[in-house]
Amino acid sequence: MGLSVKIPGSCGELVQGMIDDIPFLVTCPISMYTKASITKYFSYLPYKARLARNKTLDYLGTKSYAKFCLTTELLTGKGMASSSADIASICQLTALSCKRILSQDEISKIATSIEPTDGIFCKGIVRYNHLNGQVLEHLGLAPKIKILMFDCGGKVDTLSFNRRKDLKRLYQENENTIKEALDYLRLGFKEKNNKYIGKACVMSAYANQKILYKKQLEDIMIISEDYQAIGVNVAHSGTVIGVLFDDNCEESLIEECKQKILSECFDLHYLNLVKMISGGIIIERE
């Protein structure tokens, strides 16, 4: 019997910052995935995935001789939660190979012992402490939103970014803005109003410019307003920029927006048109 675990990636975050000295991100899972599978042949696993396997076996106090392979639609160093998806999928697959299953909290504990982690494997949309793995708040199921994804270039190392000596001070300077953004986000989920969600994303994206500047952001925001976009979000520790649309927005209009952005914004690469989805762990048995 074939066995695999799928974890969604992300288009950055909806909001990220620090409130009362507690750092957090709000997940933005998307319809692109990493998949870990049991295979008959040994396959290369990235270093962090191998570490996740070993740490899971240590946690379970057992051994596994199962052979794993990992396939992904996610790019590394971009803010698509590629490492988090790799680690979470391998953690759960390792447990399954030992006839065990890990809880969301157990995966969080193992993952954050390896690196700061995106909570894309948590159910729904959550406010998540990416340093210690604590779910701070469940906001609800994913709203019906489409996202045009762009890459503004380069790569960002998650570990190096979170070790920045000025990061806490910059988060504290943004705290009032992030509180307000989080209030709009909660209101958007409560009233099922995507415009509030978009506004929250814009506020957080602008605030993050002093932390990780994206030269194309302002132009993208200005252009997207002419094409019924509800907002723009970013990877706060990555290079991805997302333009958010209501799910019922015509794809021809979204395509026009994409072409306009690409023609007006230099050094920008189009990645994909995706849907925001609820996070979680998908176990497939064949």
Side-chain angles (χ1 to χ4, degrees):
M1 180 180 70
L3 190 61
S4 61
V5 175
K6 283 173 65 176
I7 306 285
S10 76
C11 177
E13 303 79 29
L14 301 183
V15 173
Q16 182 167 328
M18 179 182 286
I19 295 177
D20 297 329
D21 288 337
I22 298 173
F24 70 89
L25 58 82
V26 178
T27 56
C28 182
I30 58 171
S31 52
M32 295 176 69
Y33 299 88
T34 283
K35 183 176 181 178
S37 305
I38 293 179
T39 180
K40 294 180 180 178
Y41 308 101
F42 278 112
S43 177
Y44 171 77
L45 290 180
Y47 169 72
K48 291 173 185 175
R50 297 199 308 272
L51 196 56
R53 175 189 165 101
N54 293 337
K55 282 180 172 281
T56 302
L57 291 173
D58 288 344
Y59 174 75
L60 296 173
T62 188
K63 294 181 179 181
S64 173
Y65 298 99
K67 304 174 183 69
F68 297 164
C69 69
L70 195 61
T71 57
T72 186
E73 299 174 304
L74 312 176
L75 302 176
T76 61
K78 300 295 184 182
M80 295 180 70
S82 60
S83 292
S84 297
D86 287 356
I87 290 167
S89 60
I90 289 293
C91 284
Q92 192 62 277
L93 189 64
T94 301
L96 288 166
S97 74
C98 302
K99 302 192 185 314
R100 301 276 294 276
I101 190 162
L102 296 176
S103 69
Q104 179 180 291
D105 290 342
E106 288 173 315
I107 293 174
S108 283
K109 190 178 296 184
I110 296 168
T112 52
S113 75
I114 297 171
E115 69 166 13
T117 297
D118 191 302
I120 31 81
F121 53 88
C122 299
K123 292 180 179 179
I125 305 295
V126 298
R127 184 162 68 96
Y128 184 82
N129 185 326
H130 49 286
L131 300 186
N132 69 12
Q134 182 183 4
V135 175
L136 302 170
E137 184 177 359
H138 290 270
L139 288 159
L141 298 178
K144 292 183 177 180
I145 288 175
K146 294 176 183 174
I147 307 175
L148 268 179
M149 289 178 62
F150 299 92
D151 173 28
C152 60
K155 288 191 175 185
V156 178
D157 178 74
T158 303
L159 284 167
S160 299
F161 177 86
N162 282 279
R163 287 173 180 157
R164 282 177 51 172
K165 292 181 179 179
D166 62 345
L167 189 59
K168 183 175 181 179
R169 173 181 60 80
L170 292 169
Y171 275 154
Q172 288 172 333
E173 289 176 5
N174 283 341
E175 185 166 342
N176 288 337
T177 301
I178 296 304
K179 280 182 178 177
E180 188 177 356
L182 192 57
D183 285 341
Y184 274 113
L185 194 66
R186 288 172 177 140
L187 187 62
F189 276 86
K190 181 181 178 181
E191 297 191 357
K192 300 189 185 305
N193 187 326
N194 289 342
K195 289 184 179 179
Y196 287 132
I197 293 172
K199 183 176 178 66
C201 291
V202 167
M203 292 177 70
S204 190
Y206 262 130
N208 201 62
Q209 286 289 75
K210 69 171 71 170
I211 299 173
L212 187 60
Y213 184 74
K214 294 174 174 60
K215 63 182 180 181
Q216 304 95 334
L217 180 63
E218 190 163 351
D219 286 341
I220 289 174
M221 287 185 173
I222 291 169
I223 293 168
S224 64
E225 287 177 357
D226 292 332
Y227 292 89
Q228 298 179 19
I230 57 170
V232 174
N233 82 316
V234 299
H236 294 71
S237 59
T239 65
V240 165
I241 300 176
V243 181
L244 281 56
F245 297 87
D246 274 318
D247 190 55
N248 59 9
C249 184
E250 292 182 11
E251 292 212 3
S252 59
L253 191 63
I254 297 174
E255 177 65 21
E256 287 177 26
C257 181
K258 180 185 92 172
Q259 296 301 333
K260 182 69 171 177
I261 287 171
L262 290 173
S263 67
E264 297 287 332
C265 301
F266 298 105
D267 300 323
L268 192 73
H269 304 283
Y270 171 68
L271 295 178
N272 207 353
L273 174 63
V274 297
K275 288 188 176 184
M276 192 186 304
I277 64 171
S278 292
I281 300 166
I282 303 166
I283 299 172
E284 297 179 337
R285 304 175 191 269
E286 298 175 0

